[in-house]
Amino acid sequence: MLKENLFFRSEDDTDFMPIIPINENEGEQDKNLVIPDILPILPLRNTVLFPGVVLPITVGRDKSIKAVNDAYKLDKLIGVLAQKDANIEEPTPGDLCSIGTVAKIVKLIKMPDGGTTIIIQGKKRFELLEMQTEDPYFKATIRLFEDDVLPVAEDFNAYVSSIKDLAAQIIHLSPNLPTEASIILKNIENPSFLINFVSSNLNSDLVEKQSLLEINDIYKRAEHLIHILNRELQFAELKDKVTNKTRTEIDKQQREYFLQQQLNSIKDELGGDSNDREIADMKKKAEAKKWPEPAKTLFKKGIEKLERMNASTPDYSIVYNHLDLMLDLPWEDYSADNYDLKNAQNVLDKDHYGMSKIKSRIIEYLAVLKLKGDMKSPILCFLGPPGIGKTSLGKSIAHAIGRKYVRVSLGGLHDESELRGHRKTYIGAMPGRIIQQIRKCKSSNPVMILDEIDKIGTDGRSDPSSALLEVLDPEQNNSFYDNYLELEYDLSKVLFITTANNIQNIQPALRDRLEIIDLSGYAVEEKVEIAKRHLIPKQKEAHGLNKINFKLNDKLLEKIIESYTRESGVRELDRQLASIMRFQAKEFAIKNKVKNVLALSDIEKILGPTRYSNEIYKTANMAGVAVGLAWTYVGGDILFIEAILGDGKAEMKLTGNLGNVMKESASTALSYLQANARKFGIDPEQFAKKTIHIHVPEGATPKDGPSAGVTMLTALASAFTGRKVKPYLAMTGEITLRGQVLPVGGIKEKVLAAKRAGLKEIIMCATNEKDVLEIDSSFIKGVQFHFVKTMQQVLELALV
């Protein structure tokens, strides 16, 4: 299309800027123009002149100069023909196109260098009929074409409008064309001149322009021009898209470069690059760090890699965070142990009441450490019901021996990467919880509580409990490997303490690595002491009652424990005490005073009616009901076993959500009783005539285990003989078909549960006597134990 340079060009040039005539309708005046049949011919290279269009041409060839001079002296008319091949210096008549344009030389200018420049304007199209002479320049006989006749077809106006729009779009997309060109286009009103003007300025080859010139029908010429313009528009749009994309990328790079330079200048003003300062700080910390040789080597490689990286790359932060972790870890930093055994004992006694077995084990560990100076830490597991202080005891142990304390909750953990860490290549990767806690406490020998180890989850892809095998093995944990750290870390000095409620849920291989210490539930007397020493002062402080003097005596506390709680620990007791403190705080806020000593009636007013009653356990109103003792993961409990006989076929029904072992105990009891019926005064024929139904209340609660065997046999014997079971009596033990009573577990929890329930006598296997002796005699004062070996002894003691 239009070119932005207005310099005069030679007739050899391909690029030119047409000059718009002042009057585009000069064609009307040209009707009176007399054009001779013979005209001098001017060959043009690489361009085609259209009627009405003005071109500046620099004439260089001698023949052409002579032809121009002669024509300018006469009528200033000359025939302009395009060369077929622009590379021919001296064209022959056969090298010229047959159709051209008669031009009028508007201006002839002699240049200082001897050249000649002319400004010509196309007038009419002609056809070359015969070349008259070739020397000194071409002269030929021509035939003029008639002027363009505008068609009356309606779509011709649409063609003209389309030509204007397409040309305007091309000008808009072409950065080298002046915007004034679109204004010129809009102001052209003559359709014939518009077509010639646009055709002359096409950015296409000579053959295509010549083909447009040779079309006589202006309608067809306009149609062909639109086709060419559409093609040119598509090319211009594609070129503009590529140019803009390239420009955007270059602009972005230039912008980033400019901002980077500004940033560098700001950093220089502030005293250097912050990244360089960070790396320098890291190196300084590393020099003072005590760490093993492999860690030092890995850090050195990492810092060298960091120095070569650009801070804006994603990997920079990954490497930086890894090195920062290495610097934060206390590789060979250990806190000094306090070997004062008496002080340790005092701290443990002050923080926790009872728990003599655990305290003794910790003092033993400290004693060996004091004598030897170094030893692998044991892996302890505190096993017991919830709410008895297993987790808080770990904190107390750390305080007693002067070590840092950290806690890792394992409940619901189902991904081993939480323990071993994620590989650095993952987005958001971080070290495992073990290394994170070591980093947090700044010591390589803390007391680390692994809480709720029996509640670790698992799925098909990962098994965290297996990952703990390395952590909790004293022979292996001196080289614990974390995936994020990518180094071995020594955990052998860490005192690991795990807590659990149910040992059955711990993987056998993991259980084998643990030193199990059983923590039984608290007796009423212990709970009273715990409440006085710890819970009441804590709740007073929590409710702003420190300076207000009032007391809860022992009888009141026993009432709260027995009538409002049923637990092995003290959490529910703590909540009940909190309710009392809130009531006292409200009373003081309203009345500005409180009772100095609370009475039992006040407790019922605050806490409501008693929730639990021991009366139901103390008496058996009918034959066939016996009281058994059970162990649950929350402590000991009391359960009834009910047996009833009905007329019908010989069968036994078992209800109450019983497990397989418990069902087998019932079958064993019935078989033994049937085999020894006459010995116990039972008619053997009853077994064939009666339907036996054994039920254990609280059917929504699953029940299982062998320890209810003696209770089931007692209930069956009571139902068949009609003799009631002695009141205030509970029992536990496994039975055999030969009538022997076997020992069971959980004796302390069961005995304490019986004591809480107000029962006076307990029957159990003679082998379990040693377990009873471990219980503080003050906690079981008033309870009579019967240690038996056979079921006959049980029935003699139990049945009235």
Side-chain angles (χ1 to χ4, degrees), residues 544-602:
L545 299 172
N546 279 347
K547 298 179 181 179
I548 301 172
N549 188 23
F550 65 92
K551 292 182 180 180
L552 297 173
N553 58 41
D554 291 0
K555 285 187 178 181
L556 206 64
L557 291 172
E558 286 179 16
K559 174 68 175 177
I560 296 170
I561 293 165
E562 291 175 353
S563 300
Y564 294 92
T565 68
R566 273 289 184 272
E567 59 177 347
S568 295
V570 291
R571 282 184 182 153
E572 184 62 28
L573 174 59
D574 194 34
R575 284 190 282 269
Q576 299 302 329
L577 292 174
S579 297
I580 294 172
M581 297 304 163
R582 289 195 298 272
F583 179 84
Q584 292 290 80
K586 183 189 73 172
E587 288 291 301
F588 188 81
I590 296 172
K591 301 177 182 178
N592 206 26
K593 64 178 182 177
V594 294
K595 283 186 178 181
N596 291 333
V597 179
L598 291 177
L600 290 175
S601 58
D602 296 323

Side-chain angles (χ1 to χ4, degrees), residues 472-490:
L472 299 180
D473 191 338
E475 301 300 324
Q476 299 180 34
N477 64 9
N478 61 340
S479 56
F480 171 71
Y481 186 85
D482 185 274
N483 292 327
Y484 183 86
L485 183 60
E486 295 181 342
L487 272 176
E488 293 180 346
Y489 196 89
D490 185 6

